Amino acid sequence: AKLGVFYTLPLRDENQLVGGAGGFRLAQVRLGAEWNLMPRMLMVASLEAAAPSRGDDGISGKRIVELRDAYAQYRICRGFTLRGGQFKAPFWRETLLDDATLPFISRSIVSEGLAPPEAYGPRGGLSLDRQVGLQAASDWLMEEKSAFNLRYALAVVNGNGLNGLFNDNNVVTPVARAELQFFGHASLGLNGYYNVAAEGTRPNRVSEIGGASC
């Protein structure tokens, strides 16, 4: 569980801004479980018990329970692990950090974007966050004491975010990441994806082509 104290300046009695009212906020309450069904097979499920359901003015709203992780993976060897379900797409290192080991209450606005009550919006970040799809990935391919090490992840996902019932079009989103580690301390990552988003109400759907890499 994560509890934070949030204030946006100037305060609400000085200027009627979104988020001008400060105070305590339950930032996260995560419940998770892992099942090792076989020596090489793992199933993971997690629920967020403090997911935001915001009102129109940015500071109203409630906390709701929402699915986060729901996937099964099978490790064939060090160089190949297959995963299917809802998981974090292999894009943007900060997003891939475990929620329990983050150095701050939340991730940066580069990863998560901005939404009320922090700012007018919402404005999305660069991260793909969790997606539904399939992934092939590796562990570190070299021995632990090697001067250089490498791992990769390739995925095909829906591209329309967390807990989407279906894809928003008929095109999947490819995602790829490679990470090179130096002397066990520093690492350099390269990742990218290509997405064709669709918006609007059927039959008036509009495709919106976009992509990102880092």
Side-chain angles (χ1 to χ4, degrees), residues 36-54:
N36 288 288
L37 300 181
M38 294 186 293
R40 293 174 179 268
M41 187 170 185
L42 176 69
M43 294 190 68
V44 176
S46 66
L47 295 173
E48 174 56 56
S53 176
R54 296 183 175 93

Side-chain angles (χ1 to χ4, degrees), residues 35-43 71-83 139:
W35 297 273
N36 288 288
L37 300 181
M38 294 186 293
R40 293 174 179 268
M41 187 170 185
L42 176 69
M43 294 190 68
Y71 64 84
Q73 71 177 31
Y74 187 78
R75 185 180 185 273
I76 297 174
C77 61
R78 177 186 292 184
F80 191 83
T81 297
L82 185 63
R83 176 182 294 182
D139 302 331

Side-chain angles (χ1 to χ4, degrees), residues 180-193:
L180 181 63
Q181 189 180 74
F182 305 92
F183 305 101
H185 298 290
S187 63
L188 175 67
L190 178 67
N191 42 225
Y193 72 89

Side-chain angles (χ1 to χ4, degrees), residues 105-122:
I105 289 290
S106 60
R107 291 174 175 81
S108 68
I109 61 174
V110 178
S111 293
E112 295 193 337
L114 285 172
E118 276 73 39
Y120 293 99

